Amino acid sequence: MRGGGLLAAALAALWGLTYLVTQVIVQPPLAAGRMVLAGLVLSTVLTLGYPSVLRGPRMYRRRWPPSRARRVGQVGQTSGAARRAEPAPISIMGSSMPLRSGLTAEAANRTVTLLRPMLGADAVAITDRQQVLAFVGPGRDHHHPGKATITAATRKVLEGARTKVLHSAGALGCPEPSCPLSSAVIAPLHVGDSVVGALKVYRVDETAPSRDLVQGMAGILSLHLELADMDRERRLSASARLDALRAQINPHFLFNTLNTIASRARTHPEEARQLLLRLSDFFRYSTRQQGQFADFGQEYFFVRTYLALEQARFGERLAVRYDVDPQVLGVQIPVLVVQPLVENAVKHGLAQSVKGGTVSLKARFDPLRRVTRIVVRDDGVGMDPATLESALRHDGEMGGIGLRNIGERLENLFGERYRMDLRSRPDDGTTVDLRIPLR
């Protein structure tokens, strides 16, 4: 089973796990709204993380940039299997998710049909700025798709970009006297700073839905709309803003983190909630980072978020040591370069070691040479020369996609001015020493 079938199976398993944890394992069961919000956040992460291009090899010793005769992408000819391992565009991986194809009537109809039972709502609608795109539930006879968004409450949300909670039929402002709806929460849908539509969740009694739940759902749907907009930009241009989106979340990391959250949900629910928030932060940064460069401080926060999630999984087997000079925090470096190096250290260095070990991150800025030096080291299993050469020749489980991707990006940005040294010995860990010039 490949492609969409594999993703569909993974999503089904994820929702099953979410239901099991929140409704069976946790006693008393969590509210349906919270279960749905958690499931959609994790489904979003899963969709964008399939497949990963953050997989990288453990290296024995290799220096970048290589000689003209042996560029990173020229270590042997790229095989057909290697070409098939290249990451797919993000537009393909998430096309089946709600509103992932854009704010269209068809996508909106699928979304409201999905959300109504999950939110425990009597009716759900999605609009753009002019009309109702989709409506499901009581009142559809007059809130039908294609009808102008004429209620004053909806217009205020579209114009003011603030969520409104309505507790009476009069506040809803529906001109139809027989309308059965009595309360609602209306939240804006954003693409960037612009309001492009609204999510409307109704009930037939005057107990309005949860404001926080509807706002959170609208935020997730807005993220899908923004990614759909980015996909359109990708097809129209080679905008550097989209390059960061090609660095996908490793699916193994995702599932391991979900298992960790599930194991904490019953005995340590607050810790599980914090881990879920960290996972959301990790996902948000990896997908919304704009351009090719960011302050080291932003990348540092991203790395710390990743390692906090991994420490929750490995416990005492994973120790982390940071040695970061404060003056390096404001220096700009290419986005999504440090985290894959740290991920390699955890995945290939320590995860295979029974006793675990330590991952260390050191960062310094040399104002005289105008160079940022970043060193990532682990004291894990290491690698011998033969394994290194095999990994570079074949993009398998330890293939060179991650480090080759980093090397090619840095070469495109800096030519021969950057340097990446890798040192490793069996049972003595691996060190990656990266030196990045100022722009």
Side-chain angles (χ1 to χ4, degrees), residues 74-90:
Q74 297 173 341
V75 182
Q77 295 298 316
T78 303
S79 66
R83 285 192 295 270
R84 289 192 294 272
E86 289 296 323
I90 196 169

Side-chain angles (χ1 to χ4, degrees), residues 177-190:
S178 62
C179 182
L181 305 175
S182 299
S183 63
V185 175
I186 306 175
L189 299 175
H190 295 266

